[in-house]
PDB file of all heavy atoms in Angstrom:
ATOM      1  N   TYR Z 232     -23.143   5.904  36.360  1.00  0.00           N
ATOM      2  CA  TYR Z 232     -22.821   7.215  35.791  1.00  0.00           C
ATOM      3  C   TYR Z 232     -23.880   8.205  36.277  1.00  0.00           C
ATOM      4  O   TYR Z 232     -25.063   8.046  35.979  1.00  0.00           O
ATOM      5  CB  TYR Z 232     -22.810   7.165  34.269  1.00  0.00           C
ATOM      6  CG  TYR Z 232     -21.785   6.198  33.721  1.00  0.00           C
ATOM      7  CD1 TYR Z 232     -22.105   4.848  33.551  1.00  0.00           C
ATOM      8  CD2 TYR Z 232     -20.493   6.619  33.423  1.00  0.00           C
ATOM      9  CE1 TYR Z 232     -21.165   3.952  33.086  1.00  0.00           C
ATOM     10  CE2 TYR Z 232     -19.542   5.726  32.956  1.00  0.00           C
ATOM     11  CZ  TYR Z 232     -19.886   4.395  32.789  1.00  0.00           C
ATOM     12  OH  TYR Z 232     -18.949   3.504  32.329  1.00  0.00           O
ATOM     13  N   SER Z 233     -23.443   9.202  37.044  1.00  0.00           N
ATOM     14  CA  SER Z 233     -24.387  10.171  37.590  1.00  0.00           C
ATOM     15  C   SER Z 233     -23.824  11.571  37.440  1.00  0.00           C
ATOM     16  O   SER Z 233     -22.669  11.830  37.801  1.00  0.00           O
ATOM     17  CB  SER Z 233     -24.665   9.878  39.073  1.00  0.00           C
ATOM     18  OG  SER Z 233     -25.492  10.880  39.632  1.00  0.00           O
ATOM     19  N   LEU Z 234     -24.651  12.474  36.906  1.00  0.00           N
ATOM     20  CA  LEU Z 234     -24.257  13.875  36.790  1.00  0.00           C
ATOM     21  C   LEU Z 234     -24.687  14.684  37.995  1.00  0.00           C
ATOM     22  O   LEU Z 234     -24.298  15.834  38.149  1.00  0.00           O
ATOM     23  CB  LEU Z 234     -24.853  14.494  35.516  1.00  0.00           C
ATOM     24  CG  LEU Z 234     -24.068  14.270  34.227  1.00  0.00           C
ATOM     25  CD1 LEU Z 234     -24.192  12.827  33.756  1.00  0.00           C
ATOM     26  CD2 LEU Z 234     -24.529  15.218  33.123  1.00  0.00           C
ATOM     27  N   GLU Z 235     -25.495  14.096  38.860  1.00  0.00           N
ATOM     28  CA  GLU Z 235     -26.030  14.828  40.012  1.00  0.00           C
ATOM     29  C   GLU Z 235     -25.345  14.479  41.326  1.00  0.00           C
ATOM     30  O   GLU Z 235     -25.350  15.284  42.251  1.00  0.00           O
ATOM     31  CB  GLU Z 235     -27.530  14.546  40.145  1.00  0.00           C
ATOM     32  CG  GLU Z 235     -28.372  15.141  39.049  1.00  0.00           C
ATOM     33  CD  GLU Z 235     -29.840  15.157  39.409  1.00  0.00           C
ATOM     34  OE1 GLU Z 235     -30.346  14.132  39.896  1.00  0.00           O
ATOM     35  OE2 GLU Z 235     -30.476  16.197  39.209  1.00  0.00           O
ATOM     36  N   MET Z 236     -24.763  13.294  41.421  1.00  0.00           N
ATOM     37  CA  MET Z 236     -24.214  12.845  42.693  1.00  0.00           C
ATOM     38  C   MET Z 236     -22.775  12.387  42.518  1.00  0.00           C
ATOM     39  O   MET Z 236     -22.395  11.850  41.479  1.00  0.00           O
ATOM     40  CB  MET Z 236     -25.066  11.693  43.261  1.00  0.00           C
ATOM     41  CG  MET Z 236     -26.527  12.061  43.461  1.00  0.00           C
ATOM     42  SD  MET Z 236     -27.530  10.639  43.982  1.00  0.00           S
ATOM     43  CE  MET Z 236     -26.877  10.381  45.630  1.00  0.00           C
ATOM     44  N   THR Z 237     -21.958  12.608  43.568  1.00  0.00           N
ATOM     45  CA  THR Z 237     -20.587  12.117  43.571  1.00  0.00           C
ATOM     46  C   THR Z 237     -20.571  10.629  43.891  1.00  0.00           C
ATOM     47  O   THR Z 237     -21.568  10.071  44.373  1.00  0.00           O
ATOM     48  CB  THR Z 237     -19.740  12.859  44.610  1.00  0.00           C
ATOM     49  OG1 THR Z 237     -20.229  12.522  45.919  1.00  0.00           O
ATOM     50  CG2 THR Z 237     -19.820  14.366  44.396  1.00  0.00           C
ATOM     51  N   HIS Z 238     -19.428   9.999  43.661  1.00  0.00           N
ATOM     52  CA  HIS Z 238     -19.340   8.567  43.976  1.00  0.00           C
ATOM     53  C   HIS Z 238     -19.517   8.323  45.462  1.00  0.00           C
ATOM     54  O   HIS Z 238     -20.077   7.305  45.881  1.00  0.00           O
ATOM     55  CB  HIS Z 238     -18.004   7.992  43.483  1.00  0.00           C
ATOM     56  CG  HIS Z 238     -16.793   8.541  44.182  1.00  0.00           C
ATOM     57  ND1 HIS Z 238     -16.341   8.053  45.383  1.00  0.00           N
ATOM     58  CD2 HIS Z 238     -15.943   9.531  43.833  1.00  0.00           C
ATOM     59  CE1 HIS Z 238     -15.255   8.717  45.761  1.00  0.00           C
ATOM     60  NE2 HIS Z 238     -15.002   9.623  44.835  1.00  0.00           N
ATOM     61  N   ALA Z 239     -19.076   9.270  46.304  1.00  0.00           N
ATOM     62  CA  ALA Z 239     -19.242   9.108  47.753  1.00  0.00           C
ATOM     63  C   ALA Z 239     -20.715   9.163  48.142  1.00  0.00           C
ATOM     64  O   ALA Z 239     -21.177   8.400  48.996  1.00  0.00           O
ATOM     65  CB  ALA Z 239     -18.459  10.191  48.492  1.00  0.00           C
ATOM     66  N   GLN Z 240     -21.469  10.065  47.520  1.00  0.00           N
ATOM     67  CA  GLN Z 240     -22.906  10.159  47.811  1.00  0.00           C
ATOM     68  C   GLN Z 240     -23.650   8.911  47.355  1.00  0.00           C
ATOM     69  O   GLN Z 240     -24.541   8.415  48.058  1.00  0.00           O
ATOM     70  CB  GLN Z 240     -23.484  11.403  47.127  1.00  0.00           C
ATOM     71  CG  GLN Z 240     -22.997  12.712  47.726  1.00  0.00           C
ATOM     72  CD  GLN Z 240     -23.406  13.909  46.882  1.00  0.00           C
ATOM     73  OE1 GLN Z 240     -23.480  13.826  45.657  1.00  0.00           O
ATOM     74  NE2 GLN Z 240     -23.658  15.033  47.542  1.00  0.00           N
ATOM     75  N   LEU Z 241     -23.286   8.397  46.199  1.00  0.00           N
ATOM     76  CA  LEU Z 241     -23.917   7.178  45.702  1.00  0.00           C
ATOM     77  C   LEU Z 241     -23.614   5.998  46.622  1.00  0.00           C
ATOM     78  O   LEU Z 241     -24.501   5.207  46.960  1.00  0.00           O
ATOM     79  CB  LEU Z 241     -23.422   6.879  44.281  1.00  0.00           C
ATOM     80  CG  LEU Z 241     -23.871   7.863  43.199  1.00  0.00           C
ATOM     81  CD1 LEU Z 241     -23.050   7.662  41.924  1.00  0.00           C
ATOM     82  CD2 LEU Z 241     -25.354   7.682  42.885  1.00  0.00           C
ATOM     83  N   THR Z 242     -22.351   5.886  47.031  1.00  0.00           N
ATOM     84  CA  THR Z 242     -21.966   4.784  47.922  1.00  0.00           C
ATOM     85  C   THR Z 242     -22.653   4.906  49.273  1.00  0.00           C
ATOM     86  O   THR Z 242     -23.074   3.899  49.865  1.00  0.00           O
ATOM     87  CB  THR Z 242     -20.443   4.760  48.104  1.00  0.00           C
ATOM     88  OG1 THR Z 242     -19.822   4.501  46.842  1.00  0.00           O
ATOM     89  CG2 THR Z 242     -20.021   3.671  49.088  1.00  0.00           C
ATOM     90  N   ALA Z 243     -22.798   6.127  49.764  1.00  0.00           N
ATOM     91  CA  ALA Z 243     -23.475   6.332  51.052  1.00  0.00           C
ATOM     92  C   ALA Z 243     -24.921   5.850  50.978  1.00  0.00           C
ATOM     93  O   ALA Z 243     -25.447   5.285  51.950  1.00  0.00           O
ATOM     94  CB  ALA Z 243     -23.422   7.803  51.446  1.00  0.00           C
ATOM     95  N   ARG Z 244     -25.566   6.046  49.838  1.00  0.00           N
ATOM     96  CA  ARG Z 244     -26.960   5.596  49.702  1.00  0.00           C
ATOM     97  C   ARG Z 244     -27.038   4.076  49.640  1.00  0.00           C
ATOM     98  O   ARG Z 244     -27.970   3.469  50.158  1.00  0.00           O
ATOM     99  CB  ARG Z 244     -27.595   6.236  48.468  1.00  0.00           C
ATOM    100  CG  ARG Z 244     -27.722   7.744  48.612  1.00  0.00           C
ATOM    101  CD  ARG Z 244     -28.465   8.392  47.476  1.00  0.00           C
ATOM    102  NE  ARG Z 244     -29.887   8.052  47.489  1.00  0.00           N
ATOM    103  CZ  ARG Z 244     -30.804   8.723  46.809  1.00  0.00           C
ATOM    104  NH1 ARG Z 244     -30.455   9.776  46.082  1.00  0.00           N
ATOM    105  NH2 ARG Z 244     -32.074   8.362  46.845  1.00  0.00           N
ATOM    106  N   ILE Z 245     -26.047   3.450  49.009  1.00  0.00           N
ATOM    107  CA  ILE Z 245     -26.003   1.988  49.008  1.00  0.00           C
ATOM    108  C   ILE Z 245     -25.762   1.468  50.420  1.00  0.00           C
ATOM    109  O   ILE Z 245     -26.398   0.508  50.873  1.00  0.00           O
ATOM    110  CB  ILE Z 245     -24.906   1.488  48.044  1.00  0.00           C
ATOM    111  CG1 ILE Z 245     -25.284   1.824  46.598  1.00  0.00           C
ATOM    112  CG2 ILE Z 245     -24.688  -0.023  48.194  1.00  0.00           C
ATOM    113  CD1 ILE Z 245     -24.186   1.510  45.591  1.00  0.00           C
ATOM    114  N   LEU Z 246     -24.839   2.105  51.138  1.00  0.00           N
ATOM    115  CA  LEU Z 246     -24.583   1.736  52.534  1.00  0.00           C
ATOM    116  C   LEU Z 246     -25.834   1.918  53.392  1.00  0.00           C
ATOM    117  O   LEU Z 246     -26.109   1.113  54.284  1.00  0.00           O
ATOM    118  CB  LEU Z 246     -23.449   2.592  53.098  1.00  0.00           C
ATOM    119  CG  LEU Z 246     -22.018   2.158  52.790  1.00  0.00           C
ATOM    120  CD1 LEU Z 246     -21.040   3.252  53.186  1.00  0.00           C
ATOM    121  CD2 LEU Z 246     -21.693   0.864  53.525  1.00  0.00           C
ATOM    122  N   ALA Z 247     -26.577   2.974  53.131  1.00  0.00           N
ATOM    123  CA  ALA Z 247     -27.780   3.250  53.926  1.00  0.00           C
ATOM    124  C   ALA Z 247     -28.791   2.127  53.784  1.00  0.00           C
ATOM    125  O   ALA Z 247     -29.374   1.669  54.781  1.00  0.00           O
ATOM    126  CB  ALA Z 247     -28.398   4.577  53.480  1.00  0.00           C
ATOM    127  N   VAL Z 248     -29.020   1.675  52.561  1.00  0.00           N
ATOM    128  CA  VAL Z 248     -29.986   0.591  52.338  1.00  0.00           C
ATOM    129  C   VAL Z 248     -29.521  -0.685  53.024  1.00  0.00           C
ATOM    130  O   VAL Z 248     -30.312  -1.429  53.592  1.00  0.00           O
ATOM    131  CB  VAL Z 248     -30.183   0.352  50.828  1.00  0.00           C
ATOM    132  CG1 VAL Z 248     -31.133  -0.814  50.590  1.00  0.00           C
ATOM    133  CG2 VAL Z 248     -30.729   1.607  50.161  1.00  0.00           C
ATOM    134  N   GLU Z 249     -28.215  -0.930  52.972  1.00  0.00           N
ATOM    135  CA  GLU Z 249     -27.685  -2.186  53.505  1.00  0.00           C
ATOM    136  C   GLU Z 249     -27.591  -2.184  55.029  1.00  0.00           C
ATOM    137  O   GLU Z 249     -27.789  -3.217  55.667  1.00  0.00           O
ATOM    138  CB  GLU Z 249     -26.301  -2.454  52.899  1.00  0.00           C
ATOM    139  CG  GLU Z 249     -25.765  -3.854  53.116  1.00  0.00           C
ATOM    140  CD  GLU Z 249     -26.561  -4.914  52.375  1.00  0.00           C
ATOM    141  OE1 GLU Z 249     -27.326  -4.561  51.443  1.00  0.00           O
ATOM    142  OE2 GLU Z 249     -26.424  -6.099  52.719  1.00  0.00           O
ATOM    143  N   THR Z 250     -27.281  -1.031  55.623  1.00  0.00           N
ATOM    144  CA  THR Z 250     -27.048  -0.985  57.070  1.00  0.00           C
ATOM    145  C   THR Z 250     -28.226  -0.414  57.851  1.00  0.00           C
ATOM    146  O   THR Z 250     -28.292  -0.576  59.079  1.00  0.00           O
ATOM    147  CB  THR Z 250     -25.815  -0.115  57.381  1.00  0.00           C
ATOM    148  OG1 THR Z 250     -26.071   1.238  56.961  1.00  0.00           O
ATOM    149  CG2 THR Z 250     -24.584  -0.657  56.667  1.00  0.00           C
ATOM    150  N   GLY Z 251     -29.148   0.286  57.184  1.00  0.00           N
ATOM    151  CA  GLY Z 251     -30.260   0.921  57.877  1.00  0.00           C
ATOM    152  C   GLY Z 251     -29.909   2.278  58.467  1.00  0.00           C
ATOM    153  O   GLY Z 251     -30.717   2.890  59.161  1.00  0.00           O
ATOM    154  N   ILE Z 252     -28.715   2.783  58.176  1.00  0.00           N
ATOM    155  CA  ILE Z 252     -28.287   4.102  58.664  1.00  0.00           C
ATOM    156  C   ILE Z 252     -28.527   5.121  57.559  1.00  0.00           C
ATOM    157  O   ILE Z 252     -28.042   4.940  56.442  1.00  0.00           O
ATOM    158  CB  ILE Z 252     -26.787   4.086  59.037  1.00  0.00           C
ATOM    159  CG1 ILE Z 252     -26.484   2.949  60.017  1.00  0.00           C
ATOM    160  CG2 ILE Z 252     -26.373   5.427  59.624  1.00  0.00           C
ATOM    161  CD1 ILE Z 252     -25.002   2.724  60.230  1.00  0.00           C
ATOM    162  N   PRO Z 253     -29.249   6.181  57.793  1.00  0.00           N
ATOM    163  CA  PRO Z 253     -29.520   7.162  56.742  1.00  0.00           C
ATOM    164  C   PRO Z 253     -28.240   7.688  56.091  1.00  0.00           C
ATOM    165  O   PRO Z 253     -27.239   7.919  56.780  1.00  0.00           O
ATOM    166  CB  PRO Z 253     -30.277   8.274  57.487  1.00  0.00           C
ATOM    167  CG  PRO Z 253     -30.902   7.585  58.650  1.00  0.00           C
ATOM    168  CD  PRO Z 253     -29.918   6.532  59.065  1.00  0.00           C
ATOM    169  N   ALA Z 254     -28.288   7.892  54.785  1.00  0.00           N
ATOM    170  CA  ALA Z 254     -27.115   8.368  54.052  1.00  0.00           C
ATOM    171  C   ALA Z 254     -26.656   9.731  54.559  1.00  0.00           C
ATOM    172  O   ALA Z 254     -25.454  10.013  54.636  1.00  0.00           O
ATOM    173  CB  ALA Z 254     -27.431   8.434  52.562  1.00  0.00           C
ATOM    174  N   LYS Z 255     -27.625  10.597  54.909  1.00  0.00           N
ATOM    175  CA  LYS Z 255     -27.275  11.923  55.412  1.00  0.00           C
ATOM    176  C   LYS Z 255     -26.442  11.819  56.682  1.00  0.00           C
ATOM    177  O   LYS Z 255     -25.478  12.571  56.886  1.00  0.00           O
ATOM    178  CB  LYS Z 255     -28.548  12.722  55.667  1.00  0.00           C
ATOM    179  CG  LYS Z 255     -28.296  14.142  56.140  1.00  0.00           C
ATOM    180  CD  LYS Z 255     -29.611  14.894  56.334  1.00  0.00           C
ATOM    181  CE  LYS Z 255     -29.343  16.327  56.812  1.00  0.00           C
ATOM    182  NZ  LYS Z 255     -30.599  17.081  56.999  1.00  0.00           N
ATOM    183  N   LYS Z 256     -26.800  10.872  57.546  1.00  0.00           N
ATOM    184  CA  LYS Z 256     -26.060  10.704  58.798  1.00  0.00           C
ATOM    185  C   LYS Z 256     -24.674  10.124  58.529  1.00  0.00           C
ATOM    186  O   LYS Z 256     -23.691  10.500  59.175  1.00  0.00           O
ATOM    187  CB  LYS Z 256     -26.833   9.792  59.743  1.00  0.00           C
ATOM    188  CG  LYS Z 256     -26.219   9.690  61.133  1.00  0.00           C
ATOM    189  CD  LYS Z 256     -27.086   8.883  62.084  1.00  0.00           C
ATOM    190  CE  LYS Z 256     -26.487   8.892  63.486  1.00  0.00           C
ATOM    191  NZ  LYS Z 256     -27.310   8.099  64.436  1.00  0.00           N
ATOM    192  N   ILE Z 257     -24.571   9.216  57.546  1.00  0.00           N
ATOM    193  CA  ILE Z 257     -23.279   8.634  57.204  1.00  0.00           C
ATOM    194  C   ILE Z 257     -22.322   9.705  56.705  1.00  0.00           C
ATOM    195  O   ILE Z 257     -21.138   9.731  57.058  1.00  0.00           O
ATOM    196  CB  ILE Z 257     -23.450   7.536  56.132  1.00  0.00           C
ATOM    197  CG1 ILE Z 257     -24.216   6.342  56.711  1.00  0.00           C
ATOM    198  CG2 ILE Z 257     -22.096   7.082  55.594  1.00  0.00           C
ATOM    199  CD1 ILE Z 257     -24.543   5.275  55.697  1.00  0.00           C
ATOM    200  N   LEU Z 258     -22.823  10.639  55.890  1.00  0.00           N
ATOM    201  CA  LEU Z 258     -21.969  11.652  55.281  1.00  0.00           C
ATOM    202  C   LEU Z 258     -21.746  12.867  56.170  1.00  0.00           C
ATOM    203  O   LEU Z 258     -20.668  13.475  56.129  1.00  0.00           O
ATOM    204  CB  LEU Z 258     -22.578  12.110  53.955  1.00  0.00           C
ATOM    205  CG  LEU Z 258     -22.562  11.089  52.813  1.00  0.00           C
ATOM    206  CD1 LEU Z 258     -23.336  11.620  51.626  1.00  0.00           C
ATOM    207  CD2 LEU Z 258     -21.133  10.755  52.405  1.00  0.00           C
ATOM    208  N   SER Z 259     -22.753  13.228  56.980  1.00  0.00           N
ATOM    209  CA  SER Z 259     -22.660  14.501  57.701  1.00  0.00           C
ATOM    210  C   SER Z 259     -22.884  14.403  59.201  1.00  0.00           C
ATOM    211  O   SER Z 259     -22.681  15.398  59.913  1.00  0.00           O
ATOM    212  CB  SER Z 259     -23.692  15.494  57.124  1.00  0.00           C
ATOM    213  OG  SER Z 259     -23.554  15.607  55.726  1.00  0.00           O
ATOM    214  N   GLY Z 260     -23.327  13.262  59.689  1.00  0.00           N
ATOM    215  CA  GLY Z 260     -23.662  13.161  61.109  1.00  0.00           C
ATOM    216  C   GLY Z 260     -22.568  12.520  61.937  1.00  0.00           C
ATOM    217  O   GLY Z 260     -21.427  12.349  61.497  1.00  0.00           O
ATOM    218  N   PHE Z 261     -22.925  12.172  63.156  1.00  0.00           N
ATOM    219  CA  PHE Z 261     -22.007  11.512  64.086  1.00  0.00           C
ATOM    220  C   PHE Z 261     -22.526  10.104  64.352  1.00  0.00           C
ATOM    221  O   PHE Z 261     -23.616   9.934  64.902  1.00  0.00           O
ATOM    222  CB  PHE Z 261     -21.901  12.311  65.392  1.00  0.00           C
ATOM    223  CG  PHE Z 261     -21.303  13.669  65.222  1.00  0.00           C
ATOM    224  CD1 PHE Z 261     -22.111  14.770  64.987  1.00  0.00           C
ATOM    225  CD2 PHE Z 261     -19.925  13.848  65.257  1.00  0.00           C
ATOM    226  CE1 PHE Z 261     -21.568  16.030  64.811  1.00  0.00           C
ATOM    227  CE2 PHE Z 261     -19.363  15.096  65.087  1.00  0.00           C
ATOM    228  CZ  PHE Z 261     -20.182  16.192  64.854  1.00  0.00           C
ATOM    229  N   LEU Z 262     -21.757   9.122  63.950  1.00  0.00           N
ATOM    230  CA  LEU Z 262     -22.180   7.734  64.067  1.00  0.00           C
ATOM    231  C   LEU Z 262     -21.796   7.156  65.417  1.00  0.00           C
ATOM    232  O   LEU Z 262     -20.720   7.446  65.956  1.00  0.00           O
ATOM    233  CB  LEU Z 262     -21.551   6.890  62.950  1.00  0.00           C
ATOM    234  CG  LEU Z 262     -21.845   7.312  61.511  1.00  0.00           C
ATOM    235  CD1 LEU Z 262     -21.205   6.337  60.534  1.00  0.00           C
ATOM    236  CD2 LEU Z 262     -23.349   7.396  61.271  1.00  0.00           C
ATOM    237  N   SER Z 263     -22.672   6.320  65.950  1.00  0.00           N
ATOM    238  CA  SER Z 263     -22.369   5.618  67.193  1.00  0.00           C
ATOM    239  C   SER Z 263     -21.414   4.468  66.898  1.00  0.00           C
ATOM    240  O   SER Z 263     -21.156   4.117  65.742  1.00  0.00           O
ATOM    241  CB  SER Z 263     -23.656   5.071  67.809  1.00  0.00           C
ATOM    242  OG  SER Z 263     -24.217   4.073  66.962  1.00  0.00           O
TER     243      SER Z 263
END
Side-chain angles (χ1 to χ4, degrees):
Y232 299 87
S233 175
L234 276 72
E235 291 195 314
M236 302 175 69
T237 67
H238 66 84
Q240 291 171 326
L241 292 166
T242 297
R244 294 186 70 164
I245 293 173
L246 278 169
V248 177
E249 193 67 17
T250 63
I252 307 170
K255 182 178 180 180
K256 187 174 184 180
I257 293 175
L258 290 173
S259 307
F261 296 92
L262 302 183
S263 65

